[in-house]
Amino acid sequence: MQNLRSKPESGRRVRRGLPLHRRHLVLALCTLLAPSAYAEEEAVATAEANDRASARTLDKVSVLGSQIAGGGAQAALPVVAVDREQIDATGATNGNELFRSLPQFGDVAVTEKGTTNAGRNSNVARGDVGSIHLRGLGSKYTLLLLNGRRTVQHPISNSGDDTTYNANAIPTFGLERVNLLLDGAASIYGSDAVAGVVDLVMPSNLADGGGIQLNYGKVTDGHREDISLDGYFGSDFAEGRGNLSVLYGFSKRTSQLNSDAWFTATDGRRPLGDGTSVPDPNGTTGFSTRTPWGHFETYANGRRTGTWSVNPVTGALVSGSVPTRYHYDSAAEPGITSSPAIKKGNVFASGRFDITDNVQLFGELGYYRARSESWVSSESGFGGDGFLLHIRPDAYWVPESLRGADAIRLLNYQFADSGIRKVEVDNDQSRVLLGLRGWTEGGWNWETALLYSRARSKDTQQGGLTDAFIEAVNRTDASAYNPFSGGDPNSIRVGDATPYDTSSFIGEATREGTAELALWDFKVNRPDVISWYAGDIGLAAGVEYRYESREDDRDENIDGSRPYTDWYTGTVAASNFFTHSPRPDVHGSRNVKSALIELAVPLISPAQNIPLVQSLDLQIAGRYEDYSDAGQVAKPKFAAAWKVVDSLLLRGSVSGGFRAPGLELVNSPPTYGFGFNNDAVRCHALISKGAHPDYSACLNAYSSGSSVKPSVSTVTSYGEDVKPETTKQSSWGAVFEPQFLPDRLGSISLSVDAWKVKVENPISTLGEELLYDAYLRVVEGSSNPNVVRAAVTAEDIAQFEGSGLAPAGVVTHVYTRYQNRSPLTASGVDYNFTWRLPETAWGNFALLISASQLKEYTQQKPIEVQQVAAAVASGQLNIIAPDLGAANEVGINGAKPEWRASATLIWNLQDWTVRLRDDYIDSVTAGAYSDRTPYVVGSTQRWALSVKKEFNQGALAGTAVEVGARNLFDKEPPLNASGNYLTALHESYGRYLHFGISKHW
């Protein structure tokens, strides 16, 4: 939609009697803000038309990072503008793909795929969602604006404080540009603007006419297909005093299947010594411990008396566990998706009406809705505290040899006969804005608006209901469910040759989240409130009131409303849904009152003729905020722009920031989650007595649910002593634009900006309670009180015998809490280079290179973690924990690569446009070899190419055709030590071809 055209506004005149220097300033601002295609028309228009057009400054009285229009202090702000041409060069089909391709952005921690249990768990955000954040600091530290004002957050997070805005709710088809403020801006915009600000600029005041565009895209080696229909129209009314502009887009994407790529088609992947991985379908690497061949434990008088399974060859019940080679390959089930099918629509309308010559009514109306469909593996059941599946001895299908037991416990069972299960996520987001803007007789620009925005996400997942399963499996007639039938002997890892009806206990669980934002603001500004020796001093001031709310409504089978009580042990489980941790409903809201003041102060002007100081301008700003639940805060900002000569500008800033904890975190009671955890002290004991050669061998020898990998209930709480996060930011850089070059060499711009952010009291959990418990038991002879264990059994005594350690019971609970931790410091350098050649016989050329280096992401680890790391390094602890003690996290743990870069070459010749783009992501480490050597996940380069032809004459006038490809050379993503690709950094699909045709009138 790159041919969208804004038009100069009409119906208002500059106030009569405005001093000549102010009129020149207004006209200069108009020239800067108006599209270049109209600058020439305005230059030759009549004085009256110029006056009327100059009123357009009312539409954009501010720039990103400042509320004052004009003034040299704006040069102090490191703002990167990604225009329509660059957006088109990425070939992105949604916000997730767009922001992945911009080097200034960090890892995409929240994706449409989901992360927990390969997307099988609604405790994460799923569906049409992608996180958005700058600097690699995390999505919660980046503020997203739409046309200069806040937008609502996505209502579902991956954890209590891992909040994000939804990049996929952005109508990328209609974006005019994306402005990135690569500087702390909490003093201008308030909470969240720590790492920077992203402002999405939508077209407005479109000229009479419209356009429509049809796009089709296809992955060459997979099932994913995209088709979209986008359009726009603009119309004046009331004799030009008003304008209505509408953009709309509808798209449909088919799912990408696991079977489309070898590294997602099977769980069995084996890393090689050279850093690559290969399929290992017949080995023991990567497979889950779940199996349809069963894992049955018999109990009498509360004590385990035996372990049983079904022999895959004979079908008979035998003593012992199923060999690892018969474990289920859940990734290989036909029809499982690696990314969902998505249908969505997006409409954005803007309008304005000139009430008088100096007062304008304006508004926005936006609505987005997306429905996604994913398919995950067949249901599975595993045991642990709060998740106990006991079969009665008199149940119909219980083999005769087990009927003497009091109960038969079912563990690590794969319900292969349930078939793959559907996950549907319905997201919508709405935005309504109504405002007034104008100017006073005294020369003040003013603007006020009311904004309401709401986001909702409804996640519906198929899965097993525990109470219904227990009823089905314990029936005493042939209608009972039979878990003793085994799987498929001809396909030992996938499927079930003797399926039984699971419909009586496979149901649905729904999670519905809602987030709201209501905002009122009033702001005034004047670029020349005071004139002094160096020029005009600008002033902006404003007040804002905003209301934020968040509601997370969990299914009754998950939030504790319908608990399950185990008939044999009496254990009560808050969650009645298979493999799903219990989660309570959460409701919270806050209101924030704030006030802003900003000054743009020139200290030296060109007229003073000072050598090497052509100009020197300051930005001085401060913001006060009063939170209903987090207290009061005031944060300043100082920025300076020093123009040395025509070709060189130096700039820098220092500021303070503030971030209130997420509403979900603050308002959530203690949450309970269960999962399999490695009990490091047991492996240390087994290695010490020679039972296993190393830590990797020990872990590979035991299945999930064993004493080495027990199912642990983690209890996470938020303490009342937790304080909001405060930050300090600084940046300094230079812009070099050589004015002395001859015109034939074109225009060149080079900017380099270094930055540093310090979060003084970040909020997080310890995260390593079990490792710390191992350290205390091995090195200090004590234990971690936050790790709760069952009473020591004879089996425990046997495992620890000969190790020199006192035996420890099986881990049942781990307690952890959010606290303010040691300061976090991140720093880096941004590089931007632009070279645009003037028009030649060979056409127009533009080269744009952008690179971001993350030099430091340092946080002093808690003393507990430091002690563990030192014990591992010295050999006191026989475990592998790569980079555990590393203070600087750049490029480790599969995240935060040091370098990201992009290069775009654009060539225009008459009606032809060719765009070539390369996106680069640096290498990281993820995992380790058995000798503790870090496993390196290599760097990637993905090329995109597009060719566009426009028709400007005859019957096809206004028509354009474009073809292109993303991942031009069909590169696979590099894999980590487990053979998995890193979803936060890389995409799973190969070459993607796309075609588009558009018509404008």
Side-chain angles (χ1 to χ4, degrees):
M1 307 306 295
Q2 58 272 27
N3 289 335
L4 298 177
R5 299 191 306 168
S6 298
K7 60 188 288 292
E9 301 216 357
S10 59
R12 299 183 309 270
R13 292 177 172 82
V14 175
R15 180 177 62 86
R16 292 177 181 173
L18 189 66
L20 182 62
H21 75 278
R22 293 186 189 172
R23 292 189 63 177
H24 287 168
L25 174 62
V26 171
L27 292 174
L29 288 172
C30 176
T31 302
L32 289 171
L33 293 172
S36 59
Y38 291 92
E40 184 177 352
E41 296 176 14
E42 292 181 5
V44 299
T46 64
E48 181 178 355
N50 277 333
D51 284 351
R52 294 163 66 89
S54 70
R56 288 199 66 218
T57 59
L58 290 177
D59 292 330
K60 299 177 181 179
V61 297
S62 64
V63 295
L64 186 60
S66 174
Q67 299 292 342
I68 304 173
Q74 291 175 5
L77 307 174
V79 176
V80 174
V82 183
D83 61 19
R84 185 70 242 177
E85 195 78 48
Q86 297 176 69
I87 293 172
D88 289 341
T90 67
T93 63
N94 59 25
N96 175 38
E97 294 175 347
L98 171 62
F99 291 120
R100 279 179 182 270
S101 66
L102 302 181
Q104 296 83 6
F105 283 79
D107 310 338
V108 184
V110 181
T111 72
E112 61 189 18
K113 300 172 179 62
T115 53
T116 302
N117 295 330
R120 294 189 293 269
N121 192 308
S122 68
N123 283 340
V124 298
R126 299 187 290 191
D128 187 45
V129 61
S131 59
I132 175 172
H133 72 276
L134 296 165
R135 309 297 200 192
L137 278 174
S139 57
K140 64 183 180 180
Y141 294 117
T142 296
L143 177 63
L144 180 66
L145 307 178
L146 181 60
N147 289 339
R149 283 184 171 85
R150 285 176 175 262
T151 188
V152 68
Q153 289 188 334
H154 189 63
I156 289 180
S157 64
N158 275 10
S159 68
D161 207 33
D162 189 10
T163 56
T164 183
Y165 299 94
N166 186 5
N168 284 358
I170 298 166
T172 55
F173 64 87
L175 278 177
E176 184 173 294
R177 66 183 181 275
V178 178
N179 288 334
L180 311 177
L181 175 59
L182 305 176
D183 198 13
S187 58
I188 301 293
Y189 298 106
S191 184
D192 301 342
V194 172
V197 179
V198 180
D199 187 19
L200 309 174
V201 182
M202 301 296 296
S204 61
N205 197 42
L206 297 177
D208 285 324
I212 192 167
Q213 181 169 309
L214 179 66
N215 294 296
Y216 174 77
K218 176 75 169 67
V219 174
T220 57
D221 57 353
H223 286 79
R224 174 183 163 179
E225 287 183 300
D226 294 89
I227 186 167
S228 64
L229 179 68
D230 308 323
Y232 75 95
F233 65 85
S235 178
D236 286 343
F237 59 91
E239 298 181 344
R241 296 182 68 85
N243 178 270
L244 176 65
S245 302
V246 177
L247 299 101
Y248 58 89
F250 306 95
S251 64
K252 178 181 179 181
R253 169 181 295 179
T254 59
S255 58
Q256 185 84 355
L257 300 183
N258 274 16
S259 57
D260 290 339
W262 74 266
F263 51 87
T264 56
T266 175
D267 283 332
R269 298 179 295 276
R270 178 167 54 90
L272 302 178
D274 62 357
T276 61
S277 296
V278 296
D280 188 21
N282 298 314
T284 60
T285 303
F287 295 110
S288 71
T289 58
R290 298 180 293 275
T291 170
W293 304 104
H295 182 172
F296 309 99
E297 292 181 349
T298 51
Y299 283 80
N301 298 318
R303 298 179 62 85
R304 187 174 59 191
T305 59
T307 298
W308 310 83
S309 61
V310 176
N311 187 306
V313 178
T314 66
L317 191 71
V318 296
S319 178
S321 300
V322 177
T324 306
R325 64 181 181 277
Y326 295 122
H327 287 178
Y328 207 68
D329 189 355
S330 57
E333 286 186 279
I336 291 181
T337 56
S338 58
S339 64
I342 299 173
K343 296 179 181 179
K344 69 179 175 180
N346 211 318
V347 179
F348 185 84
S350 62
R352 56 113 183 138
F353 180 75
D354 302 336
I355 299 173
T356 67
D357 283 352
N358 62 351
V359 177
Q360 182 187 86
L361 176 71
F362 66 97
E364 297 174 0
L365 183 64
Y367 183 72
Y368 148 87
R369 184 171 182 180
R371 175 168 291 178
S372 70
E373 180 180 285
S374 303
W375 291 90
V376 298
S377 66
S378 53
E379 186 58 283
S380 58
F382 51 82
D385 182 38
F387 194 90
L388 299 171
L389 303 178
H390 283 110
I391 305 171
R392 296 182 183 274
D394 61 347
Y396 186 83
W397 297 107
V398 172
E400 192 63 34
S401 57
L402 303 184
R403 290 188 178 272
D406 293 343
I408 302 108
R409 184 179 179 184
L410 180 65
L411 298 111
N412 298 329
Y413 184 75
Q414 188 76 31
F415 294 85
D417 41 16
S418 75
I420 60 176
R421 298 169 292 132
K422 184 166 65 173
V423 175
E424 283 188 335
V425 182
D426 195 345
N427 288 332
D428 65 69
Q429 188 167 307
S430 56
R431 178 183 177 93
V432 180
L433 181 144
L434 185 65
L436 289 170
R437 61 166 66 100
W439 68 79
T440 70
E441 289 296 321
W444 289 89
N445 292 311
W446 60 270
E447 183 170 308
T448 184
L450 281 169
L451 166 68
Y452 176 76
S453 188
R454 175 182 179 271
R456 183 189 64 89
S457 181
K458 184 177 182 180
D459 185 311
T460 304
Q461 172 179 333
Q462 292 179 335
L465 302 174
T466 311
D467 56 3
F469 168 72
I470 293 300
E471 190 279 328
V473 77
N474 284 317
R475 293 179 195 143
T476 56
D477 57 37
S479 68
Y481 177 76
N482 183 8
F484 300 96
S485 62
D488 185 352
N490 297 316
S491 178
I492 58 173
R493 293 200 182 276
V494 178
D496 192 340
T498 55
Y500 282 79
D501 184 13
T502 63
S503 61
S504 64
F505 59 87
I506 297 295
E508 290 185 342
T510 298
R511 177 185 186 185
E512 184 166 353
T514 305
E516 291 181 302
L517 168 69
L519 181 149
W520 170 80
D521 62 17
F522 179 82
K523 48 193 176 184
V524 297
N525 87 90
R526 183 171 170 177
D528 55 355
V529 65
I530 300 175
S531 294
W532 72 338
Y533 73 93
D536 293 331
I537 296 177
L539 171 68
V543 292
E544 178 185 283
Y545 175 87
R546 69 177 186 268
Y547 167 83
E548 300 170 344
S549 72
R550 200 176 191 94
E551 180 176 351
D552 191 359
D553 185 8
R554 298 293 187 128
D555 192 273
E556 64 174 359
N557 288 291
I558 293 172
D559 67 8
S561 300
R562 187 180 174 182
Y564 162 71
T565 302
D566 178 53
W567 66 267
Y568 183 59
T569 64
T571 302
V572 178
S575 174
N576 188 47
F577 201 69
F578 274 16
T579 68
H580 206 299
S581 305
R583 286 291 189 273
D585 295 340
V586 178
H587 308 270
S589 65
R590 64 164 56 109
N591 59 70
V592 186
K593 305 168 188 174
S594 61
L596 160 75
I597 188 167
E598 178 189 358
L599 291 169
V601 182
L603 296 182
I604 298 175
S605 70
Q608 294 175 267
N609 294 317
I610 298 178
L612 298 181
V613 189
Q614 190 175 106
S615 64
L616 179 60
D617 296 272
L618 297 182
Q619 180 194 43
I620 305 172
R623 188 180 184 99
Y624 165 82
E625 294 200 317
D626 182 3
Y627 288 76
S628 60
D629 62 347
Q632 302 174 353
V633 65
K635 291 297 178 181
K637 180 174 184 178
F638 302 91
W642 169 18
K643 193 168 187 180
V644 183
V645 293
D646 282 344
S647 302
L648 180 63
L649 172 78
L650 304 180
R651 61 191 179 192
S653 73
V654 293
S655 62
F658 175 86
R659 181 186 173 273
L663 282 171
E664 184 177 347
L665 178 65
V666 173
N667 292 281
S668 178
T671 59
Y672 294 77
F674 63 80
F676 297 120
N677 295 67
N678 298 329
D679 190 4
V681 71
R682 287 184 183 271
C683 272
H684 173 89
L686 292 166
I687 295 167
S688 297
K689 71 178 192 178
H692 298 288
D694 54 48
Y695 192 65
S696 295
C698 175
L699 293 180
N700 290 334
Y702 293 88
S703 63
S704 297
S706 65
S707 59
V708 173
K709 297 180 179 179
S711 177
V712 177
S713 180
T714 302
V715 185
T716 306
S717 60
Y718 176 79
E720 294 183 357
D721 58 339
V722 177
K723 300 177 182 179
E725 297 173 326
T726 56
T727 63
K728 294 179 179 179
Q729 295 105 316
S730 60
S731 68
W732 53 98
V735 181
F736 178 62
E737 296 179 338
Q739 305 297 312
F740 48 81
L741 295 177
D743 291 343
R744 68 177 184 276
L745 294 182
S747 62
I748 293 177
S749 176
L750 172 65
S751 66
V752 180
D753 290 279
W755 57 271
K756 186 175 184 179
V757 177
K758 182 178 181 180
V759 185
E760 297 180 314
N761 48 352
I763 301 170
S764 65
T765 60
L766 177 63
E768 303 295 350
E769 299 285 1
L770 274 172
L771 290 181
Y772 184 53
D773 183 67
Y775 163 80
L776 291 175
R777 290 177 180 275
V778 172
V779 178
E780 298 190 7
S782 59
S783 62
N784 183 358
N786 290 328
V787 176
V788 179
R789 297 175 179 271
V792 175
T793 65
E795 182 180 343
D796 299 327
I797 294 173
Q799 276 189 329
F800 279 84
E801 187 177 6
S803 67
L805 293 177
V810 176
V811 179
T812 60
H813 292 76
V814 170
Y815 290 87
T816 187
R817 64 193 300 266
Y818 283 97
Q819 292 179 299
N820 294 111
R821 301 290 177 179
S822 300
L824 165 65
T825 301
S827 65
V829 184
D830 293 316
Y831 305 86
N832 289 282
F833 173 79
T834 302
W835 181 23
R836 296 184 183 273
L837 284 173
E839 186 172 357
T840 68
W842 298 96
N844 297 324
F845 293 87
L847 175 64
L848 304 96
I849 299 175
S850 184
S852 287
Q853 181 187 20
L854 181 61
K855 301 182 68 175
E856 179 187 14
Y857 188 95
T858 301
Q859 183 176 21
Q860 192 66 43
K861 296 297 177 67
I863 185 63
E864 299 93 335
V865 176
Q866 295 182 49
Q867 290 173 326
V868 175
V872 172
S874 66
Q876 290 177 286
L877 265 179
N878 290 315
I879 65 173
I880 297 175
D883 301 315
L884 179 65
N888 190 352
E889 297 181 19
V890 174
I892 66 175
N893 297 323
K896 300 178 180 63
E898 180 181 0
W899 285 96
R900 293 175 183 260
S902 68
T904 304
L905 178 64
I906 303 172
W907 172 56
N908 301 104
L909 178 61
Q910 297 178 351
D911 301 331
W912 291 89
T913 301
V914 178
R915 308 182 191 95
L916 179 65
R917 182 181 176 92
D918 176 33
D919 291 312
Y920 172 82
I921 297 177
D922 206 0
S923 61
V924 296
T925 62
Y929 294 99
S930 59
D931 63 357
R932 303 182 183 179
T933 302
Y935 191 94
V936 177
V937 178
S939 61
T940 62
Q941 281 183 278
R942 284 201 166 194
W943 292 81
L945 174 67
S946 65
V947 179
K948 180 181 178 182
K949 167 65 175 174
E950 296 179 271
F951 299 89
N952 297 316
Q953 297 179 352
L956 294 179
T959 303
V961 177
E962 182 172 357
V963 295
R966 296 187 68 197
N967 192 8
L968 182 63
F969 300 107
D970 201 23
K971 294 291 187 180
E972 291 182 349
L975 307 179
N976 65 8
S978 301
N980 298 313
Y981 80 98
L982 305 176
T983 59
L985 296 181
H986 307 128
E987 292 282 12
S988 61
Y989 61 85
R991 184 185 295 112
Y992 177 82
L993 303 178
H994 57 91
F995 168 81
I997 183 169
S998 62
K999 173 70 175 179
H1000 303 269
W1001 57 88

